[in-house]
Amino acid sequence: MKTKAVVLGANYYIGLSIMRCLGVHGIPTVAIDYSKKGTYGFYSKYCSEFLVGPNCKKDPEGLLDFLVEYGKKQEHKPVLFPSADGYVEFMDKYLPILSKYYLVTQTEKGLYTKVMDKGELHSLAKKHGVLVPETVHIDEENFKEKVEEIIKFPCLVKPTDSPAFVSKFRRKLFKVYNIKELEEAIEKATSANLEVIVQRIIPGFDDHMYTFDAYLNQDAKVTHWITCQKYRQFPVNFGASVYTGQKYVPELYDIGGKFLEDIGYKGFAEIEFKKDATTGKYYLIEINTRTTNLNSLLFKAGINMPYIAYRELTGKPLEPYAITYDTNLVFWYAYEDLFAIRDYLKTGQLKLMDIIRSFNKPKAYAIWDWKDPKPAFAFLGNKFGSLFRKMFKFNR
């Protein structure tokens, strides 16, 4: 019997893409989520088994017990995949216990959480000679003067703990234009017991955002990698990829690969960089420690990250490989891209003809798959149902 893969989270397309990447190789995939409602990943033909368990944020101990009990019943240790930041933090916290019953890529407890924390990440990056945006901490002496002299307005008020901030404010950061707005943003965050830093905005439009996506083996060596360039994101300017193309940028391997190896990283990582429009230098913005939003693009381009991890952890590692040319492929999350396009046009950042021309590329879709259509129909059903309920409530 083949070793199972357990995917934590199936109510978003990242978990769905993990199941597809493994299911095409005949690997039994088990999807676990805290609710069946709206969880369209459960409808995938590649989902061998789905389970409803405790919420990792509301009841982490309950989820731990749930996973331990499931793991005990398996003939072989399943490979455990987190599909969201909350699951990464959960796995990091309980790594010593989970490792007894599951195969996981990272062996150093706390490392994933450390690189997810903006303050910790910036310290690590500086230590290893990697550029990061100029930053001021709000507890520094002469804090406001430093913001005005070093950071300058407009600037960003960013959380050190992104998942908690996004959960609270439904956005990744605050963009502020003066001292008054800065004070208000800090007050909002501190009132919610969230730590924030103030950061310079690196000049350049959204297409100056790049990613270095890599897999590092159990010796903390890069074995597989690919680079991409964002075209559009949502929310615009400071959001997640909704239209992103594969683009070969060897400098990102030179910077990102060395950094990840130097800190002893294992498993999948996606480093987001921004290229300074003035100097051409690349600045490290953040690291995603779970499977990326762009996973369907990586797969279509020829690098199946979940399968690479599965093969290594089950003792049959794949040969190293990198995409060192331009494939012209793009990732497209059509639903959120519609909102992004609306906002780009409204703010005059893009012209309609430029957007129309951009669609003339082969695509890797976030949700849609001809061979596995049910999740897309379930997703659309959820959205239409939500819209209908809002309209019905409004008309009443």
Side-chain angles (χ1 to χ4, degrees):
M1 182 181 176
K2 280 191 174 181
T3 300
K4 292 180 180 179
V6 173
V7 181
L8 297 178
N11 64 355
Y12 195 56
Y13 61 82
I14 294 176
L16 172 62
S17 72
I18 296 171
M19 286 188 279
R20 286 171 170 168
C21 283
L22 298 170
V24 294
H25 291 284
I27 296 163
T29 61
V30 183
I32 297 177
D33 215 303
Y34 59 85
S35 173
K36 192 176 178 182
K37 185 180 178 182
T39 308
Y40 53 87
F42 282 170
Y43 293 89
S44 173
K45 73 176 187 179
Y46 298 111
C47 181
S48 311
E49 182 182 354
F50 67 83
L51 302 168
V52 175
N55 187 309
C56 72
K57 292 179 181 176
K58 294 179 180 178
D59 186 14
E61 295 283 345
L63 179 58
L64 178 65
D65 292 341
F66 183 89
L67 288 171
V68 168
E69 286 306 308
Y70 185 83
K72 284 178 178 178
K73 297 173 186 174
Q74 307 311 308
E75 187 178 339
H76 306 290
K77 281 185 179 182
V79 182
L80 192 59
F81 291 91
S83 69
D85 291 340
Y87 289 117
V88 173
E89 292 175 327
F90 164 79
M91 286 175 58
D92 224 7
K93 183 177 180 180
Y94 297 107
L95 186 62
I97 299 171
L98 290 170
S99 297
K100 294 177 183 178
Y101 305 97
Y102 293 88
L103 300 172
V104 292
T105 52
Q106 188 54 255
T107 56
E108 182 186 331
K109 183 179 184 295
L111 181 58
Y112 279 9
T113 306
K114 183 186 286 187
V115 299
M116 286 169 65
D117 182 286
K118 298 294 189 295
E120 296 268 16
L121 176 60
H122 282 207
S123 296
L124 273 175
K126 287 180 179 179
K127 181 181 175 183
H128 292 277
V130 177
L131 287 176
V132 291
E134 290 81 353
T135 302
V136 173
H137 295 264
I138 63 173
D139 58 356
E140 287 184 31
E141 198 175 330
N142 301 321
F143 158 69
K144 291 177 185 176
E145 289 82 355
K146 287 180 180 177
V147 170
E148 291 184 311
E149 292 171 14
I150 302 170
I151 308 298
K152 303 189 187 305
F153 290 104
C155 60
L156 306 177
V157 177
K158 297 179 73 173
T160 56
D161 182 352
S162 290
F165 189 92
V166 172
S167 178
K168 174 67 179 176
F169 297 110
R170 312 309 303 167
R171 57 201 297 188
K172 295 176 76 172
L173 49 80
F174 296 128
K175 184 178 181 181
V176 297
Y177 293 84
N178 52 53
I179 285 290
K180 185 173 182 294
E181 290 185 5
L182 175 65
E183 290 171 340
E184 289 171 353
I186 292 171
E187 173 60 28
K188 279 184 187 176
T190 52
S191 295
N193 294 316
L194 293 168
E195 185 183 337
V196 288
I197 54 178
V198 183
Q199 213 171 70
R200 177 173 80 92
I201 297 175
I202 304 301
F205 180 58
D206 290 1
D207 61 1
H208 282 60
M209 293 294 299
Y210 294 82
T211 68
F212 170 68
D213 295 271
Y215 184 81
L216 288 88
N217 65 14
Q218 292 301 293
D219 294 322
K221 298 297 179 186
V222 174
T223 59
H224 299 76
W225 61 275
I226 180 173
T227 53
C228 303
Q229 179 183 13
K230 285 188 182 183
Y231 298 129
R232 296 190 291 274
Q233 48 190 352
F234 185 77
V236 299
N237 308 136
F238 304 103
S241 297
V242 291
Y243 201 73
T244 295
Q246 180 275 324
K247 176 75 174 176
Y248 175 51
V249 187
E251 300 100 307
L252 300 185
Y253 167 75
D254 297 335
I255 303 166
K258 184 178 185 305
F259 175 62
L260 291 171
E261 289 182 352
D262 285 349
I263 65 173
Y265 195 96
K266 298 173 185 175
F268 173 78
E270 177 181 80
I271 304 181
E272 287 196 11
F273 289 95
K274 186 164 187 183
K275 185 179 183 179
D276 190 313
T278 308
T279 66
K281 293 179 179 179
Y282 290 96
Y283 286 76
L284 186 154
I285 303 299
E286 66 180 10
I287 296 182
N288 291 314
T289 57
R290 39 76 187 154
T291 301
T292 173
N293 299 52
L294 311 176
N295 194 45
S296 60
L297 169 62
L298 274 51
F299 171 67
K300 195 163 187 176
I303 294 189
N304 186 336
M305 293 293 187
Y307 186 58
I308 292 164
Y310 180 92
R311 284 287 299 263
E312 189 196 13
L313 293 178
T314 54
K316 298 175 183 176
L318 297 172
E319 287 295 312
Y321 181 62
I323 306 295
T324 55
Y325 59 96
D326 293 339
T327 63
N328 203 37
L329 285 167
V330 294
F331 163 81
W332 190 28
Y333 183 24
Y335 176 72
E336 286 196 348
D337 193 30
L338 291 174
F339 297 107
I341 288 169
R342 175 200 64 191
D343 292 346
Y344 282 119
L345 292 174
K346 188 188 293 184
T347 55
Q349 296 182 63
L350 285 174
K351 295 178 180 177
L352 183 58
M353 282 310 299
D354 293 331
I355 292 168
I356 293 170
R357 288 192 199 98
S358 75
F359 285 114
N360 189 29
K361 291 174 182 288
K363 295 172 184 65
Y365 301 99
I367 300 172
W368 175 252
D369 187 335
W370 284 103
K371 296 177 182 177
D372 186 31
K374 282 186 179 179
F377 291 126
F379 172 82
L380 289 173
N382 293 336
K383 294 301 177 187
F384 283 126
S386 177
L387 180 63
F388 179 79
R389 286 189 293 273
K390 284 180 182 177
M391 290 173 63
F392 181 74
K393 186 177 179 182
F394 179 76
N395 289 331
R396 286 180 67 187

